[in-house]
Amino acid sequence: MDELPEYAERVLEVAERIPPGRVMTYGDVAEWLGEGGPRQVGRVMALYGGAVPWWRVVRSDGVLLPGHELRALDRYREEGTPLREASRAAQGHLPRLDMKRARWDGAGARSDEAHI
DNA sequence: GTGCTGACACAGG
DNA sequence: ACCTGTGCCAGCA
């Protein structure tokens, strides 16, 4: 069963490399791979994301994934991912990620590709 | 081929 | 915080 298109495989691999407590945006993943675009990454995640830590791949504005907000929030609290609580005016809405602190650029992911 | 849709991004208002 | 338009790229009817 082989199965997954190579591009999807690469996207999933990057998702797996994101350390706990950190996140990468769809655009970051695409840029890191040097291929495809944010929408392609989003599509791969929608189709095969269930096999990897999907909650670590997010939108650039830090909004939680529609339909999985609670599940994601649970993971973030568990991993200690930086969140921004909803402001007074937006009370009732769920918190969003603190992208400034949570965003991971992928630095260091390349240096140790020794074990594949 | 044509047009809409999507787990996107960015600039404006 | 909200909504809108534009750019982007691939899949699908």
Side-chain angles (χ1 to χ4, degrees):
Chain A
M1 354 205 324
D2 69 7
E3 5 0 359
L4 301 182
E6 290 198 20
Y7 181 66
E9 241 177 57
R10 284 194 284 269
V11 170
L12 296 180
E13 193 187 343
V14 174
E16 270 181 21
R17 289 174 104 117
I18 303 174
R22 297 300 219 115
V23 298
M24 257 179 116
T25 70
Y26 298 95
D28 285 346
V29 174
E31 202 178 321
W32 194 88
L33 288 172
E35 199 166 9
R39 308 204 83 128
Q40 276 47 264
V41 173
R43 198 142 80 80
V44 170
M45 291 309 289
L47 295 172
Y48 317 106
V52 301
W54 51 265
W55 59 92
R56 292 182 197 152
V57 181
V58 302
R59 264 174 71 149
S60 64
D61 53 6
V63 172
L64 302 192
L65 246 150
H68 300 272
E69 297 115 335
L70 298 181
R71 204 157 2 245
L73 200 50
D74 228 20
R75 303 291 192 175
Y76 296 142
R77 295 203 156 127
E78 186 174 70
E79 298 182 356
T81 310
L83 298 171
R84 271 186 82 83
E85 295 305 322
S87 65
R88 206 154 41 67
Q91 230 189 4
H93 289 240
L94 290 163
R96 295 186 309 186
L97 286 157
D98 183 345
M99 294 311 286
K100 200 174 171 131
R101 293 198 297 154
R103 198 169 188 175
W104 184 61
D105 51 13
R110 290 176 191 283
S111 16
D112 60 343
E113 57 179 85
H115 67 75
I116 303 236

